[in-house]
PDB file of all heavy atoms in Angstrom:
ATOM      1  N   PRO A  20     -21.380  -4.618  -1.658  1.00 97.00           N
ATOM      2  CA  PRO A  20     -22.188  -3.692  -0.864  1.00 97.00           C
ATOM      3  C   PRO A  20     -21.362  -3.000   0.218  1.00 97.00           C
ATOM      4  O   PRO A  20     -20.416  -3.585   0.762  1.00 97.00           O
ATOM      5  CB  PRO A  20     -23.276  -4.566  -0.251  1.00 97.00           C
ATOM      6  CG  PRO A  20     -22.894  -5.974  -0.510  1.00 97.00           C
ATOM      7  CD  PRO A  20     -21.811  -5.997  -1.535  1.00 97.00           C
ATOM      8  N   LEU A  21     -21.735  -1.767   0.514  1.00 98.00           N
ATOM      9  CA  LEU A  21     -20.996  -0.966   1.494  1.00 98.00           C
ATOM     10  C   LEU A  21     -20.808  -1.692   2.833  1.00 98.00           C
ATOM     11  O   LEU A  21     -19.686  -1.710   3.361  1.00 98.00           O
ATOM     12  CB  LEU A  21     -21.687   0.392   1.690  1.00 98.00           C
ATOM     13  CG  LEU A  21     -20.911   1.443   2.441  1.00 98.00           C
ATOM     14  CD1 LEU A  21     -21.369   2.827   2.041  1.00 98.00           C
ATOM     15  CD2 LEU A  21     -21.010   1.273   3.931  1.00 98.00           C
ATOM     16  N   PRO A  22     -21.852  -2.296   3.422  1.00 98.00           N
ATOM     17  CA  PRO A  22     -21.623  -2.981   4.711  1.00 98.00           C
ATOM     18  C   PRO A  22     -20.551  -4.074   4.632  1.00 98.00           C
ATOM     19  O   PRO A  22     -19.822  -4.288   5.596  1.00 98.00           O
ATOM     20  CB  PRO A  22     -22.996  -3.564   5.051  1.00 98.00           C
ATOM     21  CG  PRO A  22     -23.964  -2.671   4.342  1.00 98.00           C
ATOM     22  CD  PRO A  22     -23.266  -2.316   3.050  1.00 98.00           C
ATOM     23  N   ARG A  23     -20.439  -4.764   3.506  1.00 98.00           N
ATOM     24  CA  ARG A  23     -19.412  -5.800   3.362  1.00 98.00           C
ATOM     25  C   ARG A  23     -18.019  -5.180   3.355  1.00 98.00           C
ATOM     26  O   ARG A  23     -17.086  -5.689   3.970  1.00 98.00           O
ATOM     27  CB  ARG A  23     -19.635  -6.616   2.094  1.00 98.00           C
ATOM     28  CG  ARG A  23     -18.591  -7.715   1.870  1.00 98.00           C
ATOM     29  CD  ARG A  23     -19.018  -8.669   0.779  1.00 98.00           C
ATOM     30  NE  ARG A  23     -18.002  -9.597   0.397  1.00 98.00           N
ATOM     31  CZ  ARG A  23     -17.709 -10.726   1.044  1.00 98.00           C
ATOM     32  NH1 ARG A  23     -18.358 -11.038   2.136  1.00 98.00           N
ATOM     33  NH2 ARG A  23     -16.753 -11.529   0.608  1.00 98.00           N
ATOM     34  N   VAL A  24     -17.862  -4.057   2.641  1.00 98.00           N
ATOM     35  CA  VAL A  24     -16.560  -3.379   2.592  1.00 98.00           C
ATOM     36  C   VAL A  24     -16.192  -2.840   3.966  1.00 98.00           C
ATOM     37  O   VAL A  24     -15.063  -3.026   4.443  1.00 98.00           O
ATOM     38  CB  VAL A  24     -16.564  -2.268   1.520  1.00 98.00           C
ATOM     39  CG1 VAL A  24     -15.219  -1.544   1.492  1.00 98.00           C
ATOM     40  CG2 VAL A  24     -16.883  -2.841   0.140  1.00 98.00           C
ATOM     41  N   PHE A  25     -17.131  -2.193   4.633  1.00 98.00           N
ATOM     42  CA  PHE A  25     -16.858  -1.633   5.959  1.00 98.00           C
ATOM     43  C   PHE A  25     -16.498  -2.755   6.947  1.00 98.00           C
ATOM     44  O   PHE A  25     -15.525  -2.640   7.717  1.00 98.00           O
ATOM     45  CB  PHE A  25     -18.055  -0.829   6.474  1.00 98.00           C
ATOM     46  CG  PHE A  25     -17.748  -0.012   7.698  1.00 98.00           C
ATOM     47  CD1 PHE A  25     -17.229   1.256   7.598  1.00 98.00           C
ATOM     48  CD2 PHE A  25     -17.963  -0.542   8.969  1.00 98.00           C
ATOM     49  CE1 PHE A  25     -16.933   2.005   8.723  1.00 98.00           C
ATOM     50  CE2 PHE A  25     -17.667   0.191  10.101  1.00 98.00           C
ATOM     51  CZ  PHE A  25     -17.146   1.468   9.977  1.00 98.00           C
ATOM     52  N   SER A  26     -17.259  -3.841   6.921  1.00 98.00           N
ATOM     53  CA  SER A  26     -16.998  -4.969   7.837  1.00 98.00           C
ATOM     54  C   SER A  26     -15.630  -5.592   7.632  1.00 98.00           C
ATOM     55  O   SER A  26     -15.023  -6.093   8.582  1.00 98.00           O
ATOM     56  CB  SER A  26     -18.079  -6.044   7.675  1.00 98.00           C
ATOM     57  OG  SER A  26     -19.317  -5.558   8.127  1.00 98.00           O
ATOM     58  N   ALA A  27     -15.149  -5.551   6.394  1.00 98.00           N
ATOM     59  CA  ALA A  27     -13.816  -6.108   6.120  1.00 98.00           C
ATOM     60  C   ALA A  27     -12.729  -5.356   6.888  1.00 98.00           C
ATOM     61  O   ALA A  27     -11.672  -5.908   7.173  1.00 98.00           O
ATOM     62  CB  ALA A  27     -13.527  -6.087   4.624  1.00 98.00           C
ATOM     63  N   TRP A  28     -12.968  -4.094   7.221  1.00 98.00           N
ATOM     64  CA  TRP A  28     -12.047  -3.321   8.064  1.00 98.00           C
ATOM     65  C   TRP A  28     -12.302  -3.565   9.546  1.00 98.00           C
ATOM     66  O   TRP A  28     -11.371  -3.505  10.357  1.00 98.00           O
ATOM     67  CB  TRP A  28     -12.233  -1.824   7.803  1.00 98.00           C
ATOM     68  CG  TRP A  28     -11.695  -1.294   6.537  1.00 98.00           C
ATOM     69  CD1 TRP A  28     -12.330  -1.211   5.334  1.00 98.00           C
ATOM     70  CD2 TRP A  28     -10.401  -0.721   6.342  1.00 98.00           C
ATOM     71  NE1 TRP A  28     -11.494  -0.628   4.399  1.00 98.00           N
ATOM     72  CE2 TRP A  28     -10.322  -0.318   4.992  1.00 98.00           C
ATOM     73  CE3 TRP A  28      -9.303  -0.504   7.181  1.00 98.00           C
ATOM     74  CZ2 TRP A  28      -9.191   0.288   4.464  1.00 98.00           C
ATOM     75  CZ3 TRP A  28      -8.171   0.102   6.658  1.00 98.00           C
ATOM     76  CH2 TRP A  28      -8.122   0.485   5.317  1.00 98.00           C
ATOM     77  N   PHE A 108     -16.647   6.076   3.122  1.00 98.00           N
ATOM     78  CA  PHE A 108     -17.367   5.155   2.260  1.00 98.00           C
ATOM     79  C   PHE A 108     -18.639   5.807   1.742  1.00 98.00           C
ATOM     80  O   PHE A 108     -19.269   6.584   2.452  1.00 98.00           O
ATOM     81  CB  PHE A 108     -17.765   3.890   3.039  1.00 98.00           C
ATOM     82  CG  PHE A 108     -16.598   3.184   3.667  1.00 98.00           C
ATOM     83  CD1 PHE A 108     -16.139   3.565   4.926  1.00 98.00           C
ATOM     84  CD2 PHE A 108     -15.961   2.157   3.008  1.00 98.00           C
ATOM     85  CE1 PHE A 108     -15.061   2.917   5.515  1.00 98.00           C
ATOM     86  CE2 PHE A 108     -14.884   1.507   3.587  1.00 98.00           C
ATOM     87  CZ  PHE A 108     -14.430   1.890   4.842  1.00 98.00           C
TER      88      PHE A 108
END
Side-chain angles (χ1 to χ4, degrees):
L21 192 154
R23 179 168 172 81
V24 178
F25 191 87
S26 293
W28 286 89
F108 304 86

